[in-house]
């Protein structure tokens, strides 16, 4: 395999594992939010703000991985 093939494989792994991790993280967070809001309904507003903040951070983590994969795909430092 050439370096370009390894880079393409690495980009797929970066994006795939990042997507799986983000999906699992958001699913766990959403489940815990529903459990917490069912136990203490008076804290729904506070918990909702924190949940959306964490959802944004989890998605940002995935998008950073996509950016790194795009860097390797289009401006490949290993292909020269």
């Amino acid at each position: 395999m050439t370096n370009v093939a390894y880079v393409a494989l690495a980009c797929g792994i970066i994006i795939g594992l990042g997507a799986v991790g983000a999906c699992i993280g958001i699913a766990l967070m959403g489940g815990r939010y529903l459990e917490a809001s069912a136990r203490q309904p008076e804290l729904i507003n506070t918990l909702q703000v924190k949940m959306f903040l964490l959802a944004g951070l989890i998605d940002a983590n995935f998008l950073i991985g996509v950016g790194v994969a795009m860097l390797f795909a289009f401006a490949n430092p290993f292909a020269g």
Side-chain angles (χ1 to χ4, degrees):
M1 290 176 71
T2 63
N3 284 343
V4 176
Y6 285 130
V7 170
L9 185 63
C11 289
I13 290 172
I14 289 171
I15 293 173
L17 290 179
V20 168
C23 290
I24 290 172
I26 288 179
L28 289 174
M29 181 191 56
R32 300 289 164 87
Y33 167 72
L34 290 175
E35 288 176 9
S37 63
R39 289 174 191 241
Q40 295 182 339
E42 66 273 2
L43 293 178
I44 287 177
N45 292 333
T46 306
L47 293 172
Q48 187 176 23
V49 170
K50 291 178 183 178
M51 184 195 70
F52 283 127
L53 179 67
L54 284 174
L57 290 174
I58 291 170
D59 282 341
N61 218 2
F62 166 64
L63 291 177
I64 289 170
V66 170
V68 169
M70 291 299 161
L71 171 73
F72 287 147
F74 296 116
N76 188 358
F78 302 116

